[in-house]
Amino acid sequence: MNINVDIAVIGGGPAGMAAALSAYENGIKDILIIERDTCIGGILRQCVHAGFGLHVFNEELTGPEYAQRYIDKISQTDIQIKTDTMVLSLKESNGYKVVTAVNSFDGLLNITAKSVVLAMGCRERTRGMLRIPGSRPAGIFTAGTAQRYVNIEGYMPGREVVILGSGDIGLIMARRMTLEGAKVKGVFEVMKTSNGLKRNIEQCLNDFGIPLYFSKTVICIHGKDRVEGVTVASVDDNLDPIKGTEEYIPCDTLLLSVGLIPENEITAKAGISMNSKTSGPIVGEDFQTDMPGVFACGNVLRVYDLVDNVTKDSVKAGKNAVDFVNGFAYSNKNQ
Amino acid sequence: MFENKYKFAVIGIGVTGAWVAREITRYTDSVCMLEKGNDVASGSTKANSAIVHGGYDAVPGTLKAKLNIRGNELIRELADIMAIPFRQIGSLVVASGADEDKNVINLYNRGIANGISTDDIEIWDGAKACSEEPNLNSDTTSALFCRTAGVVSPFELCAAAADVAVANGADFYRAFDVCKVENGKIFAKDGRSVSFEYAINCAGVYADYIAGLFGDSSFTIKARKGEYSILDKNCGDIVSRVVFRSPSAYGKGILVSPTVDGNIIVGPTAIDIPDKDDNANTSEGLSEAFKGAKRSVPSVTEKSSITVFAGVRAIGNTGDFIIGFSDADEHLLNVAGIESPGLTSAPATGEYVVSLLLRKGLINNELRSEFNTERKIRLFREMTDEEKEEAVSENSLYGRIICRCETVTEGDIVNAIRRPVGAVDLDGIKRRVRAGMGRCQGGFCSPRVLDILSRELDKDKTEITKCGGTSYIIRKQEQL
């Protein structure tokens, strides 16, 4: 199936929604948001804790509430949305951008757009990337996947939990798991300090008596079918384990909050130049990548701390996409 | 708990047992396949180098040599029709210095003695090797190139044979942990039993344990662990052939190879272990794997790792495969000590075992006309755009992508559950269609795969496991 739009937005999370709305408000009406989940809202849907919107709305909202503000605004426009739709590739064709996607209803879609906004967010660093030794039982989750099970699906990943990584997702999940009845034995951070928000350390760990250990990491996972325990150890300045500091902690669940990686599968496959430091595409101040008319915003560009900042930058990206579309015939002729 | 009566009971459905079963079903469907694990290929088969060896490494005159050569032929012949992912990319054994150069010459001679055609095996000098494989260590002085070598999906090599055996009438018993043999019956720990006339012992690292249940203590099996890492597809072209190092007493050494799916595999180490089930990774083992890999291909880096694993291989005490009727019990045929090149040999091992059964008159030399070895697997990611369009309009489940990293649809996953030997757990889906094998390692897809399994198998979500046993994924709050 072939469709033509002015702007295609890949990803209907906070970045995509803000960019799409901004484009609409700046005069382009023919916009399509392509979202792989069953509804738009993005990762905010599973972030049921509060702390979003302090800057953008001067309120302290939960993730779903923040997302809903944008979902509501979008529903008052005629921005098109396709959910349950996965983008497979992005290509350039005579100055136009062709986004190939698939869903159960339309089948294979070829979306030709004058401009594309990349807003695919990011994925989580895994056990395999850290090469943590030990067995490979069930019960090892990245914190975001555990969050999805708890907050969207209503299930518990386990009962006795160790968390590796004191980034915000790890801190939030420490509290979340505790509130839902699990026992969180501790949060272990390999660095000397946490890069999570101070308020999360207060409100997620200190308020619940969950210990936070610095310069410690998990050096072995135990258990045949299911996690039975982990061995932790202190690390030196080179982040290497120090012999003699090993300690076995029985548990049935290990949550990993060890880093986010911008999800640029499609970007790289399209031949767009990437920034090896951020793992996102290289962009100018206008958020445009080196494929003319392709913009990137939100976590797909670099990992943000606050969604408010994602929104602010995505608003700019959306407006710049409009400028590109308005100048499109001119720029296309000159290519 | 019910009993069934079979002429043949194959114990252990790794790659060897699966091909033995498939070969027998060409003659009779009175076969049961007994597997301790929750799925086929639960032991060594799921965790090895995945190489289809050319056949120059095994000592001429051994079963290893004979079955390697024949197995290599059969895999190349049957891979397409049985939908077994296989790529004949060729292999190099690289050498640096005079001693290693001599090893290369020895292997060449062995290859010729084993029957490899001179069209398919040749010695390259260092310059040629480095020009054909630009990322090879520049200290390479020679290399043995073998054209008939390749890479395969070891799981699918096993699962395909198992699917064909079951499609042709064999019965598969999963989670059947054999603990006793008595009065013509094989008993499992959970109380199930089957009646049998002849048992074929393909039990891998536990082949000596199974033989012991029949009163046969003629051989022992040691376990040897090997650790591996899989590297991201974005460095998938660092080498285009399998790259081995000149071999040592402990085995073929640490290799660097493309996988059949476009990743790179690095490993294995080789360490004898007392606990036959110990397939844990260690930091020393992984260090050694990367060190060995960098010796041949210096630009290999740990930073590209997307996952690590370890496999255990069965080392028999005779130096060759142990295949034959037991002296202690004429109803037992042992197929033991299947270390490398066991994977490559599997189809030939099946043929060989059946030749032994035929020779003893245990089966009639009459092929069943209804035997069909064809297996059709339509994976969405391998379809052309037109085929994708058609697939979604025929079956809307093909339009729902579940695993983003490897482009696996709900249609693919449901098909994997509905195979003759279907997936029943997350690992079973992962190994059949790759959902969960990509860079996010199941972070995105596993909740969705769990849903689909729960629905298709009509089980509560909390009952879905990673690999059977107690490997549950999630709990309800009441269960905490």
Side-chain angles (χ1 to χ4, degrees):
Chain A
M1 177 169 162
N2 295 321
I3 22 184
N4 289 290
V5 297
D6 282 339
I7 300 177
V9 178
I10 306 180
M17 292 192 293
L21 268 169
S22 165
Y24 196 87
E25 283 157 11
N26 277 285
I28 295 290
K29 307 298 175 191
D30 188 10
I31 301 172
L32 170 66
I33 297 176
I34 308 161
E35 168 56 48
R36 70 181 177 182
D37 212 329
T38 50
C39 46
I40 55 173
I43 207 75
L44 287 173
R45 293 179 61 234
Q46 65 184 60
C47 298
V48 301
H49 51 284
F52 304 92
L54 286 167
H55 303 284
V56 169
F57 295 111
N58 259 316
E59 297 175 60
E60 208 184 318
L61 304 174
T62 65
E65 284 173 329
Y66 188 100
Q68 198 62 44
R69 298 278 169 103
Y70 291 87
I71 296 170
D72 289 344
K73 284 195 216 175
I74 288 174
S75 66
Q76 285 155 23
T77 69
D78 48 12
I79 292 173
Q80 303 152 69
I81 304 173
K82 282 197 182 292
T83 54
D84 272 304
T85 305
M86 183 73 79
V87 170
L88 297 175
S89 67
L90 164 66
K91 277 194 295 279
E92 195 168 17
S93 177
N94 290 329
Y96 288 86
K97 268 54 75 178
V98 179
V99 175
T100 303
V102 68
N103 67 37
S104 302
F105 189 67
D106 302 309
L108 205 62
L109 286 155
N110 282 312
I111 303 150
T112 303
K114 294 176 182 161
S115 173
V116 167
V117 177
L118 303 173
M120 296 88 78
C122 58
R123 63 189 144 85
E124 301 181 272
R125 184 164 278 115
T126 65
R127 184 261 177 101
M129 292 177 73
L130 296 191
R131 303 186 310 282
I132 302 176
S135 56
R136 297 165 301 283
I140 303 168
F141 303 87
T142 51
T145 305
Q147 190 182 51
R148 186 181 172 93
Y149 276 124
V150 180
N151 295 341
I152 303 278
E153 314 224 353
Y155 288 92
M156 289 299 283
R159 21 174 108 85
E160 304 215 327
V161 186
V162 165
I163 299 180
L164 177 61
S166 66
D168 288 315
I169 309 178
L171 301 177
I172 290 293
M173 283 312 290
R175 177 176 63 189
R176 194 78 191 98
M177 297 290 285
T178 306
L179 285 172
E180 293 298 340
K183 171 99 186 100
V184 177
K185 301 212 162 173
V187 175
F188 295 84
E189 168 57 53
V190 74
M191 305 303 264
K192 294 180 184 167
T193 54
S194 166
N195 68 2
L197 296 168
K198 268 201 147 42
R199 70 159 187 262
N200 283 334
I201 300 192
E202 272 309 305
Q203 295 168 9
C204 299
L205 301 188
N206 298 346
D207 285 354
F208 290 86
I210 298 170
L212 170 58
Y213 303 97
F214 290 110
S215 295
K216 278 200 168 179
T217 194
V218 172
I219 62 166
C220 192
I221 299 172
H222 308 269
K224 184 165 182 289
D225 287 355
R226 176 84 196 187
V227 171
E228 285 164 35
V230 297
T231 302
V232 297
S234 296
V235 299
D236 59 25
D237 288 340
N238 292 323
L239 305 185
D240 291 324
I242 301 171
K243 266 199 160 57
T245 66
E246 299 89 357
E247 193 194 327
Y248 180 75
I249 304 179
C251 60
D252 66 4
T253 309
L254 174 65
L255 295 195
L256 302 172
S257 171
V258 290
L260 297 176
I261 305 165
E263 184 62 81
N264 281 290
E265 185 90 39
I266 297 165
T267 322
K269 229 170 80 175
I272 292 170
S273 297
M274 302 291 294
N275 179 331
S276 58
K277 285 207 184 77
T278 60
S279 300
I282 295 175
V283 296
E285 274 180 27
D286 58 354
F287 296 99
Q288 189 170 188
T289 67
D290 67 358
M291 184 179 279
V294 176
F295 297 81
C297 54
N299 277 351
V300 80
L301 182 55
R302 61 173 179 82
V303 176
Y304 281 73
D305 282 338
L306 293 180
V307 74
D308 301 64
N309 295 332
V310 166
T311 297
K312 289 183 191 167
D313 285 351
S314 304
V315 164
K316 292 182 192 154
K319 172 163 188 321
N320 295 332
V322 166
D323 291 342
F324 182 86
V325 169
N326 287 335
F328 182 75
Y330 176 78
S331 65
N332 202 26
K333 225 181 284 175
N334 286 337
Q335 260 167 43
Chain B
M1 315 289 178
F2 63 96
E3 288 175 30
N4 267 315
K5 191 159 170 58
Y6 302 92
K7 181 114 190 235
F8 299 102
V10 181
I11 303 175
I13 311 303
V15 69
T16 303
W19 279 90
V20 164
R22 172 199 171 272
E23 197 65 22
I24 297 177
T25 61
R26 297 177 75 203
Y27 297 88
T28 171
D29 62 359
S30 185
V31 184
C32 63
M33 300 155 72
L34 310 177
E35 170 52 47
K36 176 172 85 170
N38 213 36
D39 203 345
V40 297
S42 291
S44 310
T45 299
K46 70 175 180 352
N48 55 69
S49 312
I51 309 297
V52 175
H53 294 289
Y56 47 79
D57 187 271
V59 172
T62 58
L63 266 179
K64 280 180 180 176
K66 174 173 144 181
L67 298 181
N68 184 155
I69 296 283
R70 179 62 181 145
N72 178 301
E73 240 167 50
L74 284 169
I75 290 174
R76 285 185 289 126
E77 204 181 287
L78 295 170
D80 266 346
I81 196 176
M82 289 177 66
I84 299 166
F86 167 69
R87 289 198 290 139
Q88 187 178 333
I89 59 176
S91 68
L92 286 176
V93 181
V94 302
S96 159
D99 284 341
E100 292 194 343
D101 286 341
K102 280 201 199 98
N103 275 340
V104 163
I105 296 172
N106 278 341
L107 289 177
Y108 176 87
N109 291 331
R110 258 195 218 173
I112 300 294
N114 283 337
I116 303 180
S117 152
T118 47
D119 290 336
D120 291 333
I121 188 169
E122 47 196 68
I123 298 181
W124 292 352
D125 62 20
K128 171 146 194 195
C130 290
S131 116
E132 291 281 338
E133 289 290 354
N135 291 311
L136 275 188
N137 196 326
S138 55
D139 72 358
T140 302
T141 48
S142 72
L144 181 71
F145 169 64
C146 179
R147 192 164 281 108
T148 52
V151 292
V152 75
S153 163
F155 183 87
E156 282 290 85
L157 181 63
C158 170
D163 277 346
V164 166
V166 169
N168 285 287
D171 287 339
F172 177 63
Y173 291 76
R174 66 176 88 229
F176 194 105
D177 194 351
V178 174
C179 60
K180 188 171 70 172
V181 180
E182 204 175 64
N183 295 332
K185 286 204 177 97
I186 298 174
F187 293 84
K189 279 192 183 148
D190 64 3
R192 282 180 291 167
S193 67
V194 294
S195 297
F196 76 106
E197 286 180 51
Y198 296 92
I200 305 168
N201 173 11
C202 303
V205 287
Y206 284 104
D208 51 357
Y209 163 74
I210 293 294
L213 295 179
F214 288 80
D216 179 342
S217 55
S218 62
F219 63 89
T220 52
I221 304 292
K222 241 182 359 194
R224 182 169 292 164
K225 174 161 68 167
E227 300 193 42
Y228 296 89
S229 174
I230 299 285
L231 309 186
D232 196 304
K233 284 181 179 180
N234 63 19
C235 57
D237 54 3
I238 200 177
V239 289
S240 58
R241 301 170 184 80
V242 184
V243 174
F244 294 101
R245 213 125 194 115
S246 183
S248 76
Y250 255 107
K252 297 182 172 76
I254 293 166
L255 56 85
V256 179
S257 176
T259 67
V260 75
D261 305 291
N263 295 90
I264 291 285
I265 184 169
V266 159
T269 52
I271 185 165
D272 290 350
I273 46 166
D275 171 6
K276 290 184 175 185
D277 290 327
D278 173 14
N279 63 358
N281 284 107
T282 62
S283 63
E284 302 78 25
L286 291 172
S287 266
E288 201 193 312
F290 276 97
K291 186 160 160 231
K294 289 176 193 186
R295 177 75 189 83
S296 302
V297 182
S299 49
V300 160
T301 167
E302 289 88 334
K303 292 202 182 88
S304 304
S305 168
I306 61 166
T307 192
V308 295
F309 66 94
V312 180
R313 47 276 208 221
I315 312 295
N317 60 324
T318 67
D320 196 3
F321 293 155
I322 300 166
I323 308 180
F325 283 98
S326 165
D327 288 333
D329 184 339
E330 62 180 358
H331 295 270
L332 174 68
L333 197 164
N334 290 311
V335 187
I338 308 298
E339 54 174 318
S340 184
L343 185 77
T344 309
S345 302
T349 307
E351 243 182 18
Y352 181 66
V353 164
V354 163
S355 76
L356 297 179
L357 299 177
L358 283 167
R359 200 190 303 167
K360 243 199 177 182
L362 301 183
I363 34 182
N364 288 331
N365 197 350
E366 256 180 66
L367 290 170
R368 294 165 68 207
S369 59
E370 67 273 33
F371 178 80
N372 182 4
T373 197
E374 193 176 4
R375 195 181 75 135
K376 274 200 154 76
I377 309 267
R378 293 179 75 209
L379 289 175
F380 181 84
R381 65 166 167 267
E382 291 169 357
M383 297 179 189
T384 61
D385 281 359
E386 294 75 43
E387 288 167 346
K388 282 177 174 148
E389 192 67 74
E390 211 188 299
V392 179
S393 61
E394 275 170 21
N395 178 2
S396 65
L397 296 182
Y398 275 114
R400 221 180 138 227
I401 297 207
I402 302 296
C403 166
R404 194 260 156 290
C405 300
E406 298 289 318
T407 317
V408 184
T409 68
E410 184 168 355
D412 298 320
I413 293 170
V414 168
N415 290 345
I417 296 170
R418 295 185 185 168
R419 287 189 192 180
V421 179
V424 298
D425 50 36
L426 287 183
D427 278 357
I429 295 294
K430 180 177 79 168
R431 297 192 176 110
R432 284 169 176 76
V433 297
R434 291 188 61 79
M437 277 185 169
R439 18 181 102 91
C440 90
Q441 290 287 294
F444 174 69
C445 68
S446 47
R448 294 161 171 84
V449 173
L450 193 149
D451 274 358
I452 296 169
L453 279 166
S454 157
R455 180 191 76 211
E456 291 290 315
L457 300 174
D458 196 21
K459 279 189 170 162
D460 194 272
K461 288 187 196 183
T462 58
E463 291 174 59
I464 301 300
T465 62
K466 181 178 187 289
C467 54
T470 56
S471 66
Y472 67 90
I473 308 293
I474 50 180
R475 283 272 166 269
K476 290 202 188 83
Q477 225 164 12
E478 313 85 84
Q479 292 166 305
L480 287 185

